């Protein structure tokens, strides 16, 4: 099962990176679509020579995983006149065979562009240079969609950058660049110049990265000596040395070297003077997230130290007679003690604690954009500097009474910091699914030392991150398997439900594969590690979920378009509000009684303008989609449903038609004996002992099914020894013949019995007819030329298949079965599960054509399959769902992988996508509705009739609350439960008669 999940890798790191001569395979990545243009029937294919065929090769920039390749292939194959489309994600190429009478190269190129990737026609099939690399960078400090959009545009504008994607919710950037022109250091510097902290994660050829603390080093020469020693190791790619912190970060390929080798080299370099150990928590996503949370918390607490006294001076003490008298004491002219105290207390908040808003807005404006920091800086500066002007004028005037807004600027900054603290706290919880997946890996492992003959010489407990390829690890009962590998000694049962969804523990003995993160139930196992670090199945699943959370859903484009113009529009609205109220006051457009006693018309207008500026922040709008997609994909992973990105999630909620494959999807995919009828007195176990002895040498699936069933009568033995079969003959297409215990045993179909001139009794004839009606296979058993028994073999329905189809019908989703099996079997299975629309004896391309017909009729189609022959239909469908136990090709072609191989998860996937997009709509309604209501109120729409106005500091608190509320709204998806219909579903077991 572990090999199935290795197909889930999102970044094929390093594969083909140095292979400049690699050419696109002449075979398509997935089996080809119909060999004729869309709209031309299969019967017309004989006239195809009239259509000249052409080939075009495109450079496709931006693909990082099989899901990307699937998106490109889907988009291209939906065009009319496409014969074949082969996508090579490793070399960023697409080879398309097409009929020019129906489509041209430019249309194909534009279609790839519409799918979200950069496409360029390659003349003369020169091929794409393999110097492209993928770099992942963590970004700290983004506050809204404007920040992420600005970064994307800035990175995209760099010479050598081919594709840049910045995700606000995950706070990561993925950049594809030409390594001959750029390096990742230049990318980091560009991001930092934009006002954000950039932390390098990895490049495409860096499989794993580890940070070691080195003790005993005192000089730069000693660190240089260590660096040279490490560089000599095979598989080491980059080394970053930090002399001040005595830290070394190493990027390496885990299949060639590992951290224990690094520690050994470091400690041997200095003749024992140096000691190396893994740096706990350094460089992890969680450590940086926790540090960001702490920074906002500290900033908020410091702002309270100054803001609370300012608030008391402005809002409380002025109403206490004794204190008020002291605060109103004049110092110079009309300058009071209270005003001077407020100025002194608010200044550190404005310029020290609020410094982040100045730097952020400066760097944003320098790059020609405006973000949330610009709005906050403008609003607080307006309040602060007007207050400074008022205080200075009072100090120089014998009769000017100052009215300041120092509490506005300091309280505004404090509330915004509180909002950001709550926001990052909530956003940290959106990626808990990934943290839980990563927590499956054990912290420690027992490493065995072996001699040349394989005997255990000793054992040592080590950090789980120190495991290297080919290590032998001891797994005791109750412990987690430390890495992917295979059993070299021992036997036990392993609970793999956390990875595969298989509820029952799986028996493991020598030679069997195991998956890292699964739990050993009873016996002791010695496991040889084969895949460690980022190569493990668990890491591949984590990377897939991370990639899905990075990918933007199409609906996100709506927020991106709005945020581009939102901040400049808010600034214009704010200035217009101030100007309108100021002019109305000067021209006596409203009664003077409207103006509060503590201010004049200018100050009233200024407060309205500041309130508009700070209440209308685009943060909530930018977080509406990505946070919901993050939580949705994370919840899906925890439920065993791997959703490859926002696009798949968005398409799934609109599905109204599902096409099911039969074998391995609706049915178990493994023949089993379902009934036995003996025609003469004989002990059933003795009968099956003879039959199994004859069939044990057969490679036919039906023969294997008989042997497996016979083992039930020998449950006391794990590998029963059957009687010797002599003169074994396998008769292709009919059955087998052998001599067992001096009895002639013939096992096969009706025609074999007739060929052997064996009389078939009426009872046997009746049972054969009955099995055919039930879509089962009837097998006759002859002992010494006499028919002794009849076996009914069937590929049974999966438990719950009928109920799943029924529930889908109640969800107004039509179910269709398309299979390559014969019509009799197909109709029988369809009747049993309740499907009315059946297509049988269908070839792979005909399955895909059926999907395209449904799409042409306006249906949104999902395809559920498990085999190579299903992959064309999986690619053609709007949403391809692959059964987790299926083939690697099917898993790669699909948009959604059902890890547990349960049909119920089809309903879970669709229901989850519907709930997620309901949450996205609610987020948008909240974010947009909030601004549509908040801006007029802040602008004073209610003031003329009710006298109600929104002070700037309350507007700032409301703005911060809007972002937090959107994130919390998305976080509520974490409470997602499967539909109650599935909870009450009575899963039927497969009954063996």
């Amino acid at each position: 099962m572990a090999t199935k999940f290795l197909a889930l890798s999102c970044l094929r790191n390093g594969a083909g990176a140095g292979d400049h001569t690699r050419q696109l395979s002449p075979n398509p990545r997935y089996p080809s679509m119909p060999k004729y243009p869309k709209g031309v029937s299969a019967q017309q294919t004989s006239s195809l020579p009239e259509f000249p065929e052409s080939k075009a090769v495109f450079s496709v920039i931006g693909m990082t995983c099989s899901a990307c390749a699937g998106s490109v292939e889907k988009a291209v194959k939906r065009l009319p006149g496409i014969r074949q489309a082969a996508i090579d994600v490793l070399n960023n190429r697409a080879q398309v065979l097409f009929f020019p009478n129906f489509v041209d190269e430019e249309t194909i190129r534009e279609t790839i562009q519409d799918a979200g990737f950069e496409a360029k026609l390659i003349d003369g099939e020169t091929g794409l240079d393999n110097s492209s690399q993928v770099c992942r960078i963590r970004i700290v400090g983004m506050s809204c969609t404007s920040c992420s959009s600005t970064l994307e545009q800035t990175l995209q504008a760099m010479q050598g950058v081919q594709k840049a994607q910045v995700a606000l919710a995950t706070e990561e950037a993925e950049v594809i660049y030409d390594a001959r022109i750029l390096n990742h250091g230049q990318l980091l510097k560009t991001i930092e110049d934009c006002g954000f902290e950039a932390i390098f994660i990895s490049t495409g050829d860096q499989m794993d990265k580890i940070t070691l603390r080195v003790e005993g080093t005192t000089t730069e020469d000693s660190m240089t000596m260590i660096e040279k020693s490490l560089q000599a190791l095979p598989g080491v790619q980059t080394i970053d040395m930090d002399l001040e912190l005595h830290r070394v970060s190493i990027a390496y390929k885990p299949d060639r070297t590992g951290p224990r080798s690094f520690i050994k080299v470091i400690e041997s370099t200095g003749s024992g003077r140096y000691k190396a150990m893994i740096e706990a928590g350094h460089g992890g996503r969680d450590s940086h997230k926790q540090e960001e949370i702490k920074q906002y918390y500290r900033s908020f607490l410091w702002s309270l130290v100054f803001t609370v006294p300012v608030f008391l001076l402005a809002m409380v003490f002025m109403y206490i007679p004794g204190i008020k008298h002291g605060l109103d004491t004049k110092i110079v002219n009309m300058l009071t003690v209270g005003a001077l105290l407020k100025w002194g207390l608010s200044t550190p908040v404005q310029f020290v604690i609020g410094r982040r808003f100045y730097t952020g807005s400066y760097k944003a404006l320098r790059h020609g954009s405006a973000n949330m920091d610009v709005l906050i800086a403008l609003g607080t500066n307006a309040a602060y500097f007007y207050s400074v002007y008022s205080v200075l004028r009072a100090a120089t005037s014998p009769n000017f009474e100052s009215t300041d807004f120092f509490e506005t600027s300091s309280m505004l900054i404090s509330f915004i910091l509180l909002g950001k603290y709550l926001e990052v706290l909530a956003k940290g919880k959106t990626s808990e699914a990934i943290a839980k997946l990563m927590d499956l890996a054990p912290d420690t492992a027992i490493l065995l030392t072996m001699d040349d003959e394989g005997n255990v010489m000793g054992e040592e407990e080590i950090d789980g991150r120190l495991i290297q390829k080919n290590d032998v690890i001891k797994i005791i009962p109750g412990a987690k398997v430390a890495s992917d590998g295979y059993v070299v000694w021992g036997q036990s049962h392993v609970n793999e439900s956390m990875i595969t969804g298989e509820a029952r523990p799986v028996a493991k003995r020598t030679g069997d594969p195991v998956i890292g993160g699964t739990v050993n139930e009873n016996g002791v196992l010695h496991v040889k590690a084969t895949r460690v670090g980022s190569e493990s199945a668990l890491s591949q699943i984590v990377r897939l979920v991370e990639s899905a959370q990075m990918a933007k859903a199409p609906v996100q484009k709506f927020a991106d378009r709005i945020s581009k113009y939102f901040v400049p529009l808010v600034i214009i609205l704010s200035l217009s509000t101030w100007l309108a109220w100021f002019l109305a006051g000067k021209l006596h457009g409203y009664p003077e009684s409207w103006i509060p006693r503590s201010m004049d018309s200018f100050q009233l207008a200024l407060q309205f303008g500041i309130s508009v500026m700070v209440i209308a922040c685009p943060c909530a709008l930018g977080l509406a989609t990505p946070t919901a997609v993050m939580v949705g994909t994370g919840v899906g992973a925890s439920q065993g449903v791997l959703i490859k990105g926002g696009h798949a999630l968005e398409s799934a909620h609109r599905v109204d038609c599902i096409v099911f494959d039969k074998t391995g999807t609706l049915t178990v995919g493994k023949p089993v004996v379902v009934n036995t009828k003996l025609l003469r007195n004989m002990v059933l176990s003795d009968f099956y002992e003879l039959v199994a002895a004859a069939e044990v040498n057969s490679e036919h699936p039906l023969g294997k099914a008989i042997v497996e069933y016979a083992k039930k009568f020998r449950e006391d033995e794990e590998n029963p020894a059957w009687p010797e079969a002599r003169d074994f003959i396998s008769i292709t297409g009919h059955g087998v013949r052998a001599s067992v215990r001096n009895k002639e045993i013939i096992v096969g179909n009706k025609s074999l019995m007739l060929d052997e001139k064996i009389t078939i009794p009426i009872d046997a004839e009746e049972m054969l007819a009955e099995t055919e009606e039930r879509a089962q296979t009837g097998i006759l058993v002859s002992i010494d030329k006499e028919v002794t028994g009849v076996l009914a073999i069937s590929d049974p329905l999966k438990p719950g298949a009928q109920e799943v189809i029924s529930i889908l019908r109640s969800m107004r989703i039509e179910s269709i079965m398309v299979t390559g099996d014969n019509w009799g079997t197909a109709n029988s299975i369809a009747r049993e599960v309740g499907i009315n629309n059946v297509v049988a004896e269908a070839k792979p391309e005909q399955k895909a054509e059926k999907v395209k017909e449904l799409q042409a009729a306006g249906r949104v189609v999902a395809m559920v399959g498990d085999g190579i022959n299903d992959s064309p239909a999986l690619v053609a469908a709007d949403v391809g769902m692959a059964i987790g136990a299926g083939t690697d090709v099917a898993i790669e072609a699909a948009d959604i992988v059902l890890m547990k191989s349960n049909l119920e998860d089809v309903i879970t996937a669709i229901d989850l996508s519907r709930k997620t997009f309901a949450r996205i709509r609610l987020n948008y309604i909240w974010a947009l509705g909030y601004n549509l209501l908040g801006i007029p109120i802040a602008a004073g729409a209610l003031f003329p009739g009710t006298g109600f106005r929104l002070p700037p500091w309350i507007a700032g608190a409301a703005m911060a609350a809007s972002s937090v509320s959107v994130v919390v709204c998305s976080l509520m998806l974490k409470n997602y439960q499967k539909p109650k219909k599935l909870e009450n579903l009575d899963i039927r077991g497969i009954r063996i008669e």
Side-chain angles (χ1 to χ4, degrees), residues 649-702:
L649 201 63
E650 183 166 345
S651 300
H653 91 281
R654 296 184 289 108
V655 166
D656 58 11
C657 175
I658 297 183
V659 176
F660 287 94
D661 174 46
K662 180 183 77 69
T663 307
T665 302
L666 289 172
T667 65
V668 174
K670 184 179 180 182
V672 294
V673 177
V674 292
N675 201 0
T676 307
K677 184 170 185 178
L678 294 181
L679 302 179
R680 70 179 188 184
N681 289 333
M682 188 174 185
V683 178
L684 194 59
S685 60
D686 294 342
F687 169 78
Y688 267 105
E689 189 168 85
L690 296 173
V691 176
E695 286 282 9
V696 75
N697 295 315
S698 172
E699 288 298 315
H700 197 280
L702 297 181

Side-chain angles (χ1 to χ4, degrees), residues 212-226 242-247 266-267 269-277:
L212 302 175
R213 176 178 287 279
V214 183
E215 294 180 353
T217 55
T218 54
T219 64
E220 189 173 341
D221 290 340
S222 59
M223 291 295 277
T224 303
M225 186 167 59
I226 288 173
D242 190 329
L243 182 61
E244 288 183 13
L245 298 175
H246 304 286
R247 183 184 289 156
I266 290 170
E267 294 183 348
T269 299
S271 304
R273 286 185 294 122
Y274 307 140
K275 293 292 180 186
M277 63 194 74

Side-chain angles (χ1 to χ4, degrees), residues 744-933:
E744 184 186 29
I745 310 296
I746 299 176
V747 186
N749 55 22
K750 183 178 178 179
S751 60
L752 177 60
M753 298 300 163
L754 295 176
D755 290 344
E756 295 291 332
K757 297 184 171 50
I758 297 171
T759 304
I760 302 174
I762 294 174
D763 288 355
E765 291 275 13
E766 288 176 353
M767 188 168 176
L768 286 177
E770 191 178 326
T771 58
E772 287 178 9
E773 286 177 10
R774 294 180 178 177
Q776 297 170 350
T777 302
I779 301 293
L780 297 169
V781 178
S782 162
I783 300 177
D784 291 335
K785 297 290 185 180
E786 181 183 352
V787 174
T788 307
V790 183
L791 313 181
I793 297 179
S794 173
D795 180 6
L797 281 177
K798 280 190 173 176
Q802 287 177 325
E803 290 85 347
V804 167
I805 300 301
S806 174
I807 293 170
L808 287 172
R809 193 181 298 115
S810 71
M811 295 169 69
R812 297 184 179 179
I813 297 174
E814 182 186 359
S815 298
I816 298 170
M817 187 173 78
V818 180
T819 178
D821 214 334
N822 64 72
W823 279 99
T825 303
N827 284 324
S828 176
I829 294 292
R831 278 196 306 272
E832 196 172 347
V833 296
I835 292 177
N836 300 320
N837 196 338
V838 181
V839 177
E841 299 177 9
K843 295 177 181 178
E845 60 267 23
Q846 290 170 326
K847 290 183 180 183
E849 196 61 23
K850 177 64 179 177
V851 168
K852 294 176 92 172
E853 283 175 19
L854 291 165
Q855 289 170 330
R859 310 296 294 272
V860 180
V861 184
M863 169 71 194
V864 184
D866 72 321
I868 292 174
N869 60 341
D870 297 322
S871 51
L874 288 170
V875 170
D878 296 284
V879 182
M881 298 187 188
I883 298 294
T887 63
D888 292 353
V889 174
I891 287 172
E892 290 205 16
D895 301 303
I896 297 174
V897 180
L898 311 177
M899 289 200 296
K900 298 179 184 177
S901 301
N902 290 338
L903 277 178
E904 302 94 272
D905 286 342
V906 173
I907 296 170
T908 302
I910 293 172
D911 184 66
L912 177 60
S913 71
R914 289 180 177 182
K915 294 277 173 44
T916 302
F917 267 79
R919 193 66 56 181
I920 288 172
R921 290 191 194 100
L922 186 61
N923 284 348
Y924 273 131
I925 290 170
W926 175 257
L928 287 171
Y930 171 87
N931 279 312
L932 291 174
L933 286 173

Side-chain angles (χ1 to χ4, degrees), residues 231-439:
Q231 283 174 339
L233 286 173
V236 172
Q237 295 177 290
T238 61
I239 300 172
D240 293 324
M241 311 294 287
D242 190 329
L243 182 61
E244 288 183 13
L245 298 175
H246 304 286
R247 183 184 289 156
V248 54
S249 296
I250 308 158
Y252 63 97
K253 292 186 177 179
D255 60 335
R256 301 184 66 189
T257 188
R260 282 208 323 284
S261 300
F262 307 148
I263 292 172
K264 186 177 178 182
V265 165
I266 290 170
E267 294 183 348
S268 63
T269 299
S271 304
R273 286 185 294 122
Y274 307 140
K275 293 292 180 186
M277 63 194 74
I278 291 182
E279 180 85 340
H282 180 74
R285 175 200 291 259
D286 286 345
S287 63
H288 290 287
K289 181 64 67 180
Q290 290 303 318
E291 185 57 36
E292 185 182 13
I293 291 170
K294 286 178 183 176
Q295 282 179 0
Y296 274 114
Y297 183 65
R298 284 194 297 265
S299 296
F300 172 63
L301 287 183
W302 274 110
S303 72
L304 285 184
V305 170
F306 298 98
T307 301
V308 170
V310 172
F311 173 78
L312 294 174
L313 288 168
M315 304 290 186
V316 179
F317 294 159
M318 62 181 290
Y319 296 107
I320 302 174
I323 300 176
K324 183 179 187 302
H325 178 73
L327 295 175
D328 287 343
T329 303
K330 306 290 191 297
I331 300 173
V332 179
N333 289 327
M334 298 298 287
L335 175 63
T336 64
V337 171
L340 193 63
L341 284 173
K342 284 189 285 183
W343 185 10
L345 287 167
S346 62
T347 300
V349 179
Q350 183 71 35
F351 297 108
V352 180
I353 297 168
R355 182 172 177 268
R356 66 175 71 233
F357 303 119
Y358 285 98
T359 55
S361 55
Y362 165 71
K363 290 176 179 177
L365 291 171
R366 197 178 68 181
H367 287 86
S369 68
N371 60 8
M372 186 194 82
D373 293 336
V374 173
L375 294 180
I376 295 168
L378 283 173
T380 56
N381 276 338
Y384 178 84
F385 283 108
Y386 174 78
S387 301
V388 171
Y389 158 75
S390 179
V391 168
L392 291 176
R393 186 174 173 189
T396 57
S397 171
N399 52 18
F400 178 79
E401 289 189 11
S402 69
T403 303
D404 61 73
F405 299 137
F406 285 122
E407 75 280 358
T408 294
S409 64
S410 56
M411 289 174 70
L412 193 54
I413 288 173
S414 295
F415 273 112
I416 287 166
L417 289 173
L418 174 62
K420 292 302 294 180
Y421 166 68
L422 295 174
E423 184 185 317
V424 296
L425 202 64
K427 278 167 66 179
K429 295 182 182 296
T430 59
S431 57
E432 275 187 359
I434 291 179
K436 286 178 180 177
L437 282 171
M438 296 175 77
D439 285 344

